[in-house]
C-alpha cells in the first residue's frame, strides 16, 4: 500500500491534479496543472487526527505537504475534503501508512494556530481575535494589499481595471451611498489602515473619525493620515465601537468589520450605531455573508474545528443578508438599498494572492513561512468560495428616518459605473 494507492482509493483514479509522495508513489495526469506533494507521514497523521480542512491546513502550514503549480487548480480537491471519509479498509491502510514503530502519534500543532480564552465577543477576546489576524506585520499587508492598504473587496467595473482602481472605486461608491458632503462628520467603524476616512476627507471634504482595536493598524493609519496632510480633518482612534460616546455623526461606514461582531452582539452593534447618527443620517454596512441555511437550521459561526476559525478569523461569524436587514430594521433603521459584490471579492482575492506570490520571499522573511502559507491558502480558497457562491458579500444602506423623512433622493444614482475619478480633491474652507 502506497500513498498514491490510498488517495486514489478514496478519491478515484481520475484526479484533477498530480500527486507525489515521500514513498515514491505518484498519481494523476501526466502533465498536471498542479501537484500535491506529500512530504512526510505526518501529513497522513494530521488528516487522521483532524479529518477535513483543518488537518489539510495543518499539514500545509507545517510543510508536511506542499502545492506546486497552480494553487487554484489544486483547490479543485477542496470539495472532496469537506465530506470525505475512510471506509474500514481505507482507515486501516491509512493507519499503517501513518504508523511509525507501531504507534500513531499526533504531530505538534503549528504555532500559527490560535485558541482564544475568555467570554466570546467580550471586548478583551474580540481584541485578541483582531490582534491575531491584523497585528501580523504592516509591511506584510502592504505586500498583499498593495499601496491602498485596503482589506476588503474592491469594486471592479471590469477585471482589467486593477486592484488600486477597484479599491478607490469602492470608497467612492460608499461615499456616494452615504451622500457625503463638505463639513459632514463621518464615523468609520473598523477603519483598518485609514483608507475610507482619508478618501472621504480628501475627496468629499468631511471630518472623519476612524476607530480600530488593532494597535498596528491604528499606528500606521495615523501615520498615513499625517503624511497625507489630513490630520486637521481625520482622527484615528484605538477604540472599540462600544466605547464611542461623542456622537452625533452625519454618516457611518462599516467596511469589513461586521464579520467580527457576532450574533450575540448584533443588537448592541446596531443600537450603538443608531444612537450615534443624526436624524436622516445614513449607515453603510459592508460585510461578508452566507447563503440561507437549510430550513430548520441556523448558522453564523465558523466551525470550531475548521482551518478558517483556528488560523484565520477566530470567532468570526457570517450572517445571511436577510437576517442582517431584519436586524438593522429591528433597531430602528430603515433599509434602503442592498447590493451584492460577490464576484468583486473573488477578483480582489485573486489579486491579493498574485501580490503575495510575486513577493513571496520577502513576505516569508517578514512573517515566517507558516504564516505566509496560512494567508496564501486562505485567500485562494476564499476566492473559490466567492466564485462558487458559498460565500457572499453585501452592502446594506440604511437611514435613521426622521418622522418619515429619509433625506434620500427618489432615484439615487450611486450605483452607476464606472465610478467617477476625482482630479481635484475638495478643500475645506
Amino acid at each position: 500500500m502506497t500513498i498514491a494507492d490510498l488517495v486514489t482509493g478514496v478519491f478515484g483514479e481520475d484526479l484533477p491534479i498530480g500527486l507525489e509522495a515521500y514513498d515514491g508513489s505518484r498519481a494523476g495526469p501526466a502533465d498536471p496543472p498542479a501537484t500535491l506533494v506529500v512530504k512526510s507521514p505526518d501529513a497522513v497523521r494530521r488528516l487522521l487526527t483532524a479529518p477535513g480542512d483543518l488537518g489539510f491546513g495543518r499539514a500545509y502550514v507545517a510543510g508536511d505537504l506542499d502545492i506546486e503549480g497552480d494553487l487554484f487548480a489544486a483547490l479543485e480537491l477542496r470539495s472532496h475534503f469537506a465530506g470525505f471519509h475512510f471506509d474500514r479498509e481505507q482507515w486501516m491502510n491509512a493507519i499503517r501508512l501513518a504508523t511509525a514503530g507501531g504507534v500513531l502519534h499526533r504531530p505538534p500543532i503549528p504555532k500559527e494556530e490560535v485558541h482564544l480564552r475568555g467570554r466570546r465577543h467580550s471586548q478583551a477576546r474580540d481584541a485578541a481575535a483582531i490582534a491575531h489576524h491584523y497585528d501580523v506585520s504592516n509591511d506584510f499587508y502592504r505586500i498583499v494589499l498593495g499601496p491602498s492598504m485596503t482589506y476588503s473587496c474592491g469594486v471592479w467595473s471590469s477585471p482589467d481595471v486593477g486592484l488600486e482602481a477597484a479599491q478607490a472605486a469602492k470608497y467612492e461608491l460608499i461615499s456616494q451611498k452615504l451622500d457625503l458632503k463638505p463639513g459632514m462628520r463621518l464615523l468609520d467603524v473598523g477603519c483598518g489602515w485609514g483608507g475610507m476616512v482619508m478618501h472621504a476627507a480628501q475627496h468629499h471634504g468631511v471630518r472623519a473619525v476612524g476607530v480600530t482595536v488593532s494597535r498596528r493598524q491604528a499606528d500606521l493609519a495615523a501615520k498615513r493620515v499625517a503624511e497625507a496632510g489630513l490630520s486637521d480633518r481625520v482622527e484615528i482612534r484605538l477604540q472599540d465601537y462600544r466605547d464611542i460616546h461623542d456622537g452625533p455623526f452625519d454618516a457611518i461606514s462599516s467596511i469589513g468589520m461586521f464579520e467580527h461582531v457576532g450574533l450575540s452582539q448584533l443588537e448592541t452593534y446596531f443600537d450603538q450605531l443608531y444612537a450615534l447618527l443624526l436624524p436622516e443620517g445614513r449607515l453603510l454596512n459592508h460585510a461578508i455573508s452566507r447563503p440561507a441555511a437549510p430550513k430548520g437550521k441556523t448558522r453564523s459561526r465558523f466551525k470550531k474545528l475548521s482551518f478558517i476559525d483556528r488560523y484565520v478569523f477566530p470567532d468570526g461569524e457570517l450572517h445571511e443578508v436577510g437576517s442582517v436587514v431584519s436586524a438593522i430594521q429591528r433597531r430602528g433603521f430603515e433599509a434602503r438599498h442592498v447590493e451584492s459584490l460577490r464576484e468583486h471579492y473573488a477578483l480582489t482575492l485573486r489579486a491579493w494572492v498574485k501580490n503575495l506570490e510575486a513577493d513571496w520571499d520577502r513576505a516569508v522573511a517578514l512573517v515566517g513561512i507558516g504564516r505566509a502559507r496560512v494567508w496564501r491558502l486562505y485567500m485562494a480558497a476564499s476566492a473559490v468560495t466567492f466564485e462558487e457562491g458559498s460565500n457572499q458579500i453585501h452592502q446594506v444602506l440604511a437611514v435613521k428616518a426622521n418622522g418619515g423623512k429619509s433625506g434620500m433622493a427618489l432615484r439615487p444614482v450611486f450605483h452607476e459605473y464606472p465610478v467617477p475619478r476625482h482630479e481635484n480633491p475638495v478643500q475645506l474652507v
Side-chain angles (χ1 to χ4, degrees), residues 42-335:
D42 275 349
V44 182
R45 294 176 185 127
R46 292 185 189 281
L47 285 169
L48 285 171
T49 54
D53 70 282
L54 179 58
F56 180 89
R58 283 174 174 169
Y60 179 71
V61 172
D64 299 324
L65 61 78
D66 207 349
I67 299 169
E68 297 178 353
D70 185 349
L71 177 60
F72 292 96
L75 288 171
E76 290 186 27
L77 276 181
R78 171 184 160 276
S79 60
H80 296 288
F81 279 98
F84 93 97
H85 66 278
F86 294 132
D87 61 28
R88 186 177 184 281
E89 182 180 358
Q90 291 164 343
W91 184 266
M92 296 306 297
N93 287 333
I95 291 176
R96 291 188 190 100
L97 287 168
T99 298
V103 177
L104 176 62
H105 70 272
R106 184 186 297 269
I109 293 174
K111 62 182 175 58
E112 291 79 11
E113 188 167 320
V114 66
H115 297 265
L116 299 179
R117 299 182 181 276
R119 181 171 56 85
R120 188 180 178 92
H121 293 305
S122 64
Q123 290 195 25
R125 180 157 164 163
D126 278 353
I130 293 297
H132 169 79
H133 189 84
Y134 297 96
D135 289 351
V136 176
S137 162
N138 286 334
D139 289 336
F140 172 77
Y141 272 113
R142 190 175 283 106
I143 289 173
V144 174
L145 305 179
S148 74
M149 290 292 285
T150 301
Y151 197 25
S152 57
C153 89
V155 172
W156 301 71
S157 55
S158 82
D160 303 322
V161 300
L163 181 61
E164 291 302 298
Q167 295 294 15
K170 183 260 302 295
Y171 288 139
E172 179 58 25
L173 176 64
I174 292 172
S175 297
Q176 290 183 29
K177 288 182 176 181
L178 292 174
D179 196 26
L180 297 182
K181 293 182 172 62
M184 281 186 170
R185 193 168 186 237
L186 168 71
L187 171 65
D188 187 35
V189 182
C191 67
W193 291 275
M196 177 63 197
V197 288
M198 293 172 65
H199 179 96
Q202 193 169 29
H203 297 299
H204 295 273
V206 306
R207 299 187 182 277
V209 174
V211 300
T212 175
V213 295
S214 165
R215 183 170 297 278
R216 290 196 180 185
Q217 282 188 336
D219 290 345
L220 183 56
K223 181 181 179 182
R224 295 178 75 212
V225 166
E227 290 174 348
L230 297 171
S231 296
D232 60 331
R233 311 174 220 174
V234 176
E235 179 186 1
I236 302 294
R237 300 177 186 169
L238 184 66
Q239 186 177 41
D240 191 287
Y241 73 92
R242 288 163 283 200
D243 294 331
I244 303 170
H245 303 297
D246 61 335
F249 294 87
D250 297 280
I252 298 176
S253 54
S254 178
I255 308 168
M257 175 270 183
F258 187 64
E259 298 86 346
H260 300 286
V261 172
L263 183 63
S264 66
Q265 296 297 309
L266 289 193
E267 289 188 6
T268 299
Y269 174 79
F270 288 121
D271 279 346
Q272 172 72 338
L273 301 190
Y274 187 88
L276 290 170
L277 266 178
L278 284 167
E280 299 183 36
R282 299 184 191 182
L283 165 68
L284 190 287
N285 200 68
H286 170 118
I288 300 172
S289 49
R290 289 188 172 180
K295 186 176 181 180
K297 296 183 179 181
T298 59
R299 61 183 181 187
S300 61
R301 299 182 182 183
F302 296 124
K303 292 180 180 178
K304 289 183 179 180
L305 294 178
S306 67
F307 175 74
I308 194 79
D309 184 67
R310 291 293 180 87
Y311 285 87
V312 186
F313 287 113
D315 287 354
E317 299 185 28
L318 307 181
H319 312 287
E320 189 271 327
V321 66
S323 66
V324 175
V325 170
S326 295
I328 286 174
Q329 299 215 134
R330 279 196 299 270
R331 309 326 297 168
F333 287 102
E334 180 184 1

